[in-house]
Amino acid sequence: MNSLRQFYLEIPVVTRAYTTVCVLTTLAVHLDLVSPLQLYFNPTLIVRKFQIWRLATTFLYFGTIGITFFFNMVFTYRYCRMLEDGSFRGRSSDFVMMFIFGGVLMTFFGIFVNLLFLGQAFTLMLVYVWSRRNPSVPMNFFGVLNFQAPYLPWVLLCCSMILGNTVWVDIIGMGVGHIYYVLEDVYPTLSNGYRLIKTPYFLKRLFNEHIERNYQAAAEDRPGGFPWGGEGGEPLLVQNGGQPEPADQEPPAAAAPQ
């Protein structure tokens, strides 16, 4: 029990909080403490009945407990933690801001495609951002398919199509992830670019982080896949044997548990 408790407490705070609430929400439904009808995204009930909680619970319920729920939790935990331990290390407030940004966009898009639960789309957003920030990481899909990390979201999209699931969940997750990636990682590196997604001061205070007016990640924390501006405007890349690689690259990982 002590080792399990230690493992749980070692999980980064944002990842620990989100995955815990997801599991507890699904358990509450499984035990008939709440009904999915009280959780799904319904703009009419949100506006007319002031059921504001639906804006959050739509991201917390992943369906009945089973193999699908297990895989969803594995993917959510895995890529959420790798992002928080990687390019968001020491910047939990910025990670929460990514959650808020992605949640708002997904809620907006969800109105037009009539999706009831957006948790899987949220997971796809995490996977997409991680894959773009780690373009050189080799992936293996159930020991059958080998590919590089940026193709992982597309592999998952194809799996959804093969299984007959709605692809709108994957498309929205990948679309929102791409928007975040461009605004946060690409546009600020342009000659006249700057960060458009600003983390509020109160979030910085909440996580007791140092406030910087012009934040620039340390070299070892800068995601790969694009040239970071260094001193004098020169790009900064981490070299390994003469080849550029992502600065926060994780060790080779499987796309799903074997």
Side-chain angles (χ1 to χ4, degrees), residues 200-211:
Y201 178 76
F202 78 90
L203 282 179
K204 297 284 188 181
R205 291 291 301 273
L206 179 64
F207 290 95
N208 195 29
E209 295 174 358
H210 179 63
I211 309 299

Side-chain angles (χ1 to χ4, degrees), residues 136-147:
S136 301
V137 176
M139 309 294 294
N140 180 276
F141 194 72
F142 291 103
V144 177
L145 183 64
N146 296 313
F147 53 91

Side-chain angles (χ1 to χ4, degrees), residues 72 120 124 141 152-171 174:
N72 280 328
Q120 294 183 28
L124 257 294
F141 194 72
L152 177 58
W154 298 99
V155 171
L156 297 178
L157 174 63
C158 292
C159 289
S160 293
M161 296 175 64
I162 293 173
L163 295 175
N165 299 330
T166 175
V167 298
W168 283 114
V169 172
D170 303 74
I171 292 174
M174 293 168 61

Side-chain angles (χ1 to χ4, degrees), residues 89-131:
R89 184 171 65 249
R91 298 194 295 130
S92 295
S93 60
D94 291 337
F95 197 36
V96 171
M97 191 61 201
M98 173 186 169
F99 274 47
I100 296 173
F101 176 84
V104 170
L105 278 187
M106 289 182 196
T107 300
F108 174 75
F109 293 139
I111 296 174
F112 301 99
V113 295
N114 195 30
L115 290 177
L116 302 182
F117 293 100
L118 298 169
Q120 294 183 28
F122 194 85
T123 299
L124 257 294
M125 178 191 72
L126 297 175
V127 171
Y128 185 91
V129 173
W130 178 87
S131 69

Side-chain angles (χ1 to χ4, degrees), residues 4-250:
L4 182 61
R5 180 176 180 272
Q6 182 179 0
F7 169 79
Y8 179 75
L9 294 177
E10 288 176 352
I11 300 174
V13 59
V14 179
T15 301
R16 182 170 69 239
Y18 180 61
T19 53
T20 298
V21 174
C22 288
V23 171
L24 291 178
T25 300
T26 302
L27 283 176
V29 173
H30 182 72
L31 297 174
D32 292 327
L33 299 178
V34 296
S35 168
L37 296 176
Q38 299 173 286
L39 306 176
Y40 75 96
F41 178 63
N42 188 317
T44 301
L45 294 178
I46 293 172
V47 174
R48 296 184 180 180
K49 300 294 184 179
F50 301 104
Q51 297 182 2
I52 307 299
W53 67 84
R54 294 179 183 271
L55 293 172
T57 55
T58 185
F59 296 100
L60 304 178
Y61 180 62
F62 284 80
T64 56
I65 294 180
I67 189 65
T68 301
F69 169 76
F70 173 76
F71 276 111
N72 280 328
M73 284 295 94
V74 168
F75 268 85
T76 300
Y77 163 77
R78 180 180 181 82
Y79 292 99
C80 191
R81 178 166 187 169
M82 287 197 295
L83 276 175
E84 192 170 4
D85 278 338
S87 56
F88 286 102
R89 184 171 65 249
R91 298 194 295 130
S92 295
S93 60
D94 291 337
F95 197 36
V96 171
M97 191 61 201
M98 173 186 169
F99 274 47
I100 296 173
F101 176 84
V104 170
L105 278 187
M106 289 182 196
T107 300
F108 174 75
F109 293 139
I111 296 174
F112 301 99
V113 295
N114 195 30
L115 290 177
L116 302 182
F117 293 100
L118 298 169
Q120 294 183 28
F122 194 85
T123 299
L124 257 294
M125 178 191 72
L126 297 175
V127 171
Y128 185 91
V129 173
W130 178 87
S131 69
R132 293 304 298 265
R133 289 184 168 184
N134 296 270
S136 301
V137 176
M139 309 294 294
N140 180 276
F141 194 72
F142 291 103
V144 177
L145 183 64
N146 296 313
F147 53 91
Q148 298 300 109
Y151 294 102
L152 177 58
W154 298 99
V155 171
L156 297 178
L157 174 63
C158 292
C159 289
S160 293
M161 296 175 64
I162 293 173
L163 295 175
N165 299 330
T166 175
V167 298
W168 283 114
V169 172
D170 303 74
I171 292 174
I172 288 179
M174 293 168 61
V176 172
H178 184 71
I179 292 173
Y180 179 86
Y181 170 75
V182 170
L183 294 181
E184 185 72 2
D185 294 1
V186 178
Y187 182 71
T189 66
L190 302 180
S191 57
N192 295 321
Y194 55 92
R195 297 185 72 197
L196 295 173
I197 303 175
K198 302 292 185 179
T199 302
Y201 178 76
F202 78 90
L203 282 179
K204 297 284 188 181
R205 291 291 301 273
L206 179 64
F207 290 95
N208 195 29
E209 295 174 358
H210 179 63
I211 309 299
E212 295 183 6
R213 294 186 179 275
N214 295 309
Y215 171 80
Q216 187 176 36
E220 64 272 16
D221 291 338
R222 298 175 186 174
F226 57 90
W228 286 89
E231 295 182 2
E234 294 297 326
L236 295 176
L237 292 176
V238 177
Q239 300 292 329
N240 182 9
Q243 298 297 324
E245 63 178 22
D248 65 334
Q249 177 173 316
E250 300 287 339

